[in-house]
Amino acid sequence: MNEITQGMPIFCADGVQHGQVVEVDREYIRMRLPDDNRDHFVPLDTVAGVDSAVHLKLSHHDLLATL
């Protein structure tokens, strides 16, 4: 996942933008939500693809259940 860089937006499978990448930390993406200064960790194995954004395999609802 070398193509994931700081500041990239993160989109859920249902098109909801979930936050922005802070950094990749081993097996997780450390991210922040727009209205929350706490760090959240998204497992790298939930990434479906990367272009100008990170696209997840999980819907927004399913992602919230993992955080």
Side-chain angles (χ1 to χ4, degrees):
M1 295 293 161
N2 293 335
E3 60 271 13
I4 299 174
T5 59
Q6 182 179 9
M8 290 180 106
I10 298 173
F11 287 94
C12 298
D14 51 5
V16 176
Q17 183 174 351
H18 190 70
Q20 285 190 323
V21 174
V22 173
E23 71 176 343
V24 177
D25 184 21
R26 294 184 212 136
E27 297 177 16
Y28 294 90
I29 298 171
R30 185 165 58 106
M31 59 152 297
R32 290 225 174 105
L33 303 174
D35 57 349
D36 185 355
N37 287 328
R38 296 177 297 159
D39 289 339
H40 297 272
F41 294 87
V42 178
L44 281 174
D45 63 1
T46 64
V47 174
V50 179
D51 49 28
S52 60
V54 178
H55 302 275
L56 303 178
K57 299 174 190 174
L58 301 174
S59 70
H60 189 246
H61 175 76
D62 292 339
L63 180 59
L64 290 176
T66 67
L67 297 179

